[in-house]
Amino acid sequence: MTEMPVFDPLLREVPSPYYTPAHREFRATIRRWVDEHVAPFVEQWDEAGTFPRELYGKAAEIGLIGMGFPEEYGGIEGTDLFHMIVATEELARAGSGGLIASLMSHSIGAPPIAALGSDELKARVLPGILSGEKISALAITEPSGGSDVANLRTTARLDGDHYVVDGEKVFITSGIRADYVTTAVRTGGKGFGGISLLLIETDRPGITRTPLKKMGWWMSDTAAIHFDGVRVPAANLVGPENAGFLGIVRNFNGERIGLAAGANAFARVALEEAIDWARQRQTFGKRLADHQVIRHKIVDMAQRIQATQCMLENLAWRVEQGDAPIAEICMLKNQATLTMEFCAREAMQILGGAGYMRGVKTERIYREVRVNAIGGGSEEIMRDLAARQLGL
Amino acid sequence: MKVLVPVKRVVDYNVKIRVKADNTGVDLANVKMSMNPFDEISVEEAIRLKEAGKATEVVVVSIGPAQAAETIRTALAMGADRGILIKTDEEVQPLAVAKLLKGVVDEEQPGLVIVGKQAIDDDSNQTGQMLSALLGWGQATFASKVVIGDGSAEVTREVDGGLETLSLKLPAIVTSDLRLNEPRYASLPNIMKAKKKPLAEKAPADYGVDIAPRLKTLKVEEPPKRSAGIKVPDVATLVEKLKTEAGVL
């Protein structure tokens, strides 16, 4: 048996006010599921640039997909942000953020439907998504801008009982395989008051999808989606017309906490890999872990990860209490992605040449740093939003 | 038919065990505890019997501290129907466990008790056998296959050189071996539902059992460290060393 991992929240049950036995049980379940159904195949899937579609169904069986959605549509009620954190951390252990992004793309695509959609719409699409049969994606970003949501250009013009959609979306996670794309469209005038959310089935005529090649997240499908006169039933409108902006931003806090949990989890994976290597590798007559320069690197990484984890769990708890600490969540996301960046770098330095080879988790994590620091609100946007929230 | 499954909370099999500095036992601070793997197999077997229509109810029982309730919840999340926790913070040795289980059996009247063949912490491998003796029931230990018939059970055991099949009258005790089945996941929906399943709390005194230990632990030590091996240049040297140094030839 190898040495105990230093920061394994499953095997080291440190006292915590946030996690119940049910959370720990869920962690054990996902740990086993990831070890069996994900970890052995990650290399192969990443090189292939995709993973089997059946994984959605398997993930749904153990409860990964249904978390937080209403039971009547196949969801699992009574879960909280800590289930989401646990799920993200355990999925991250396989060392691929691309897997999480695509496998869990419904976690940004489907919440607006569940929260704002009509009963008819929910009954029509949610059971398929939550059972893993159908894939849901969210499409906001356009070639002309991402975070500047209020100025998006894709239009939906009402024609009888249908909307006619024209425009283009880019960097859409699960864009190629998605059956449903929750799309931000302009139905009214300029600014955020003219935006609606429309559920678009991807088999409608007039949709062209182009796969995009990326620096990291290889197994995640990322697409540009072009809409050319696509007719979508008005019944697919998610929430009231021209009130889509609220539907978009209401999910941001949860999404950013999830992204922060992922980034810090990847930092921890890189750290664990570096520690394993430092304990094995002999240089100048002793283990790497016995060289002061390496020992200090490890502690510096661990210190940042622990600090980020404290902030993450505290803010998740505040959100669960009904608080909306927007500025702090922006700072948390940056804290987490900067920690991931630092740890990917330091772990790579410890691994040396071995770390530069494909097949090492740190190599992949290194390539996935930027997508975390840019996606879901870039570091610059996060700072700007935090500054505004602070009333500067 | 009701099936009773005793489950024990033990240090998770993935945890690297550390002996306490004063040699009185194993360090349990901040260590993950899980259901004994052989008990997971027993729970799985009982649930499969229920799914196959051979059993009507699966009752799990654990003896231990308050946290043993979590182990019962795991069994409930896998699909067991209800749980009984016999709460005690004292050390409970196999004979005391068997006596308490006899009390539960007298009360519950199960048609079958499936016990893990041993727990991975103390590796006693005694409880099932002692319970069988106390009840005067038949026992089939180290089961790799269980087939329930009409008032009887056919149990396959892995023995040296092959398989042995026993036929025994019910009610009976079966102890489960590793290859009996592969336990299922406790999925999130079932973890959430398990919170609502009934869990009764009892005390050893409710069964009139004196659980005072009969065995005394003198010392707990790490196994001796394995020393490094050597490389030999050729077969002749190997044979020579096996003869002279290892003394095995």
Side-chain angles (χ1 to χ4, degrees):
Chain A
M1 201 181 291
T2 53
E3 294 282 334
M4 275 276 281
V6 179
F7 299 105
D8 185 338
L10 181 76
L11 298 181
R12 265 181 210 278
E13 284 197 351
V14 295
S16 162
Y18 306 120
Y19 299 97
T20 64
H23 288 119
R24 297 187 195 276
E25 183 73 47
F26 185 44
R27 188 185 289 282
T29 291
I30 311 178
R31 174 72 56 96
R32 205 178 127 196
W33 185 83
V34 167
D35 284 350
E36 216 168 288
H37 296 286
V38 178
F41 313 108
V42 159
E43 290 305 322
Q44 184 192 329
W45 292 344
D46 216 36
E47 296 292 334
T50 188
F51 61 87
R53 201 180 156 119
E54 300 90 77
L55 199 65
Y56 289 90
K58 289 184 190 171
E61 276 171 27
I62 60 157
L64 270 172
I65 309 282
M67 282 186 286
F69 288 93
E71 236 168 68
E72 58 175 317
Y73 304 115
I76 305 158
E77 289 172 11
T79 59
D80 59 17
L81 282 170
F82 290 97
H83 286 95
M84 189 266 282
I85 291 174
V86 162
T88 306
E89 288 176 349
E90 290 304 315
L91 287 169
R93 288 178 60 86
S96 165
L99 174 94
I100 304 177
S102 267
L103 185 63
M104 304 297 281
S105 64
H106 78 288
S107 70
I108 52 175
I113 304 169
L116 307 167
S118 69
D119 288 346
E120 183 275 325
L121 183 66
K122 287 191 269 193
R124 179 149 54 89
V125 303
L126 285 181
I129 295 170
L130 300 179
S131 66
E133 281 159 50
K134 301 283 186 184
I135 298 174
S136 157
L138 178 72
I140 309 282
T141 299
E142 301 187 349
S144 60
S147 295
D148 188 9
V149 177
N151 288 311
L152 62 83
R153 294 177 185 176
T154 297
T155 58
R157 177 175 49 82
L158 200 56
D159 176 27
D161 57 358
H162 279 69
Y163 284 101
V164 181
V165 180
D166 288 285
E168 188 160 28
K169 297 288 175 182
V170 284
F171 314 140
I172 306 309
T173 299
S174 286
I176 298 289
R177 286 206 290 203
D179 302 286
Y180 304 121
V181 181
T182 307
T183 312
V185 291
R186 184 164 302 285
T187 45
K190 284 189 172 168
F192 67 81
I195 293 166
S196 300
L197 280 175
L198 194 60
L199 180 103
I200 304 180
E201 298 92 339
T202 50
D203 55 1
R204 295 193 176 274
I207 295 179
T208 322
R209 297 188 274 183
T210 313
L212 303 173
K213 289 204 161 193
K214 309 174 292 296
M215 179 181 189
W217 275 18
W218 293 347
M219 78 172 77
S220 172
D221 116 43
T222 307
I225 308 180
H226 189 80
F227 302 95
D228 185 10
V230 180
R231 294 184 68 82
V232 181
N236 281 20
L237 193 66
V238 181
E241 198 177 64
N242 295 330
F245 191 74
L246 282 176
I248 295 166
V249 297
R250 66 176 292 288
N251 203 33
F252 276 171
N253 283 345
E255 184 191 353
R256 283 173 189 152
I257 286 179
L259 285 164
N264 204 42
F266 285 114
R268 196 152 60 192
V269 171
L271 170 63
E272 293 287 3
E273 201 169 48
I275 291 176
D276 263 3
W277 179 250
R279 278 173 164 164
Q280 285 172 37
R281 169 83 162 162
Q282 301 277 335
T283 60
F284 303 101
K286 52 185 176 182
R287 300 180 314 157
L288 267 187
D290 295 321
H291 293 279
Q292 190 182 49
V293 66
I294 301 297
R295 298 167 74 80
H296 285 191
K297 274 187 194 298
I298 288 171
V299 172
D300 280 345
M301 291 159 79
Q303 177 190 320
R304 288 172 203 226
I305 291 168
Q306 294 293 76
T308 308
Q309 193 71 16
C310 290
M311 191 174 181
L312 167 72
E313 291 172 350
N314 175 255
L315 289 175
W317 179 81
R318 279 176 60 183
V319 170
E320 283 298 329
Q321 307 312 304
D323 195 8
I326 296 172
E328 288 94 328
I329 290 174
C330 291
M331 293 182 233
L332 165 68
K333 185 178 178 272
N334 284 1
Q335 168 73 23
T337 56
L338 290 167
T339 298
M340 178 178 179
E341 181 169 344
F342 177 81
C343 292
R345 180 193 192 282
E346 294 297 281
M348 183 71 89
Q349 288 305 112
I350 292 172
L351 288 157
Y356 197 64
M357 299 297 113
R358 292 245 281 277
V360 175
K361 286 175 186 167
T362 300
E363 185 271 336
R364 192 181 305 108
I365 290 168
Y366 196 94
R367 281 188 285 104
E368 293 183 352
V369 166
R370 297 262 63 81
V371 69
N372 282 277
I374 294 168
S378 69
E379 284 174 3
E380 292 71 19
I381 292 285
M382 290 295 94
R383 289 191 185 98
D384 188 60
L385 179 52
R388 274 187 282 145
Q389 290 287 321
L390 294 173
L392 295 181
Chain B
M1 179 180 74
K2 192 191 282 183
V3 182
L4 182 72
V5 184
V7 296
K8 185 176 183 184
R9 179 179 160 85
V10 299
V11 174
D12 188 274
Y13 71 96
N14 287 302
V15 170
K16 190 180 157 71
I17 299 291
R18 287 206 174 88
V19 170
K20 278 193 208 163
D22 62 2
N23 295 109
T24 56
V26 165
D27 191 0
L28 296 180
N30 296 349
V31 157
K32 177 170 175 57
M33 307 290 283
S34 298
M35 192 191 304
N36 176 38
F38 292 107
D39 300 344
E40 268 189 333
I41 293 170
S42 305
V43 172
E44 176 67 33
E45 194 64 18
I47 295 167
R48 288 187 190 185
L49 288 175
K50 191 183 168 190
E51 285 167 349
K54 303 282 185 188
T56 50
E57 191 184 24
V58 178
V59 181
V60 290
V61 55
S62 191
I63 303 163
Q67 296 90 327
E70 292 165 22
T71 309
I72 295 176
R73 292 277 174 218
T74 302
L76 298 178
M78 287 172 72
D81 297 296
R82 63 186 168 88
I84 303 166
L85 169 65
I86 303 175
K87 204 168 121 183
T88 173
D89 290 322
E90 304 303 315
E91 182 194 353
V92 193
Q93 294 180 345
L95 182 60
V97 172
K99 285 178 181 172
L100 286 170
L101 290 179
K102 180 180 182 296
V104 176
V105 168
D106 289 344
E107 209 171 79
E108 295 283 344
Q109 298 292 322
L112 180 68
V113 183
I114 310 180
V115 191
K117 73 166 182 180
Q118 68 197 70
I120 62 167
D121 50 2
D122 54 22
D123 282 334
S124 293
N125 182 9
Q126 296 170 2
T127 302
Q129 295 89 328
M130 286 175 167
L131 178 62
S132 158
L134 290 173
L135 287 167
W137 289 7
Q139 59 172 310
T141 55
F142 302 0
S144 63
K145 193 180 174 192
V146 177
V147 181
I148 300 295
D150 194 15
S152 67
E154 221 169 68
V155 176
T156 307
R157 320 171 65 226
E158 291 181 0
V159 294
D160 286 348
L163 299 174
E164 180 186 41
T165 307
L166 301 178
S167 177
L168 60 166
K169 263 197 304 197
L170 295 179
I173 311 290
V174 170
T175 78
S176 49
D177 208 341
L178 199 61
R179 276 170 292 276
L180 180 56
N181 58 49
E182 197 175 321
R184 70 193 62 194
Y185 298 106
S187 71
L188 181 59
N190 291 334
I191 292 170
M192 305 303 281
K193 280 180 206 146
K195 291 181 181 176
K196 293 173 194 148
K197 289 187 179 177
L199 201 172
E201 200 180 299
K202 304 269 191 176
D206 296 342
Y207 299 96
V209 175
D210 168 21
I211 62 166
R214 306 292 200 268
L215 306 168
K216 193 175 157 198
T217 302
L218 299 179
K219 203 175 6 165
V220 177
E221 285 181 307
E222 298 254 6
K225 282 234 168 14
R226 204 169 152 246
S227 52
I230 55 160
K231 278 185 186 173
V232 292
D234 50 37
V235 176
T237 321
L238 174 66
V239 173
E240 178 63 23
K241 284 192 179 293
L242 286 175
K243 272 185 186 159
T244 55
E245 289 177 31
V248 293
L249 287 181

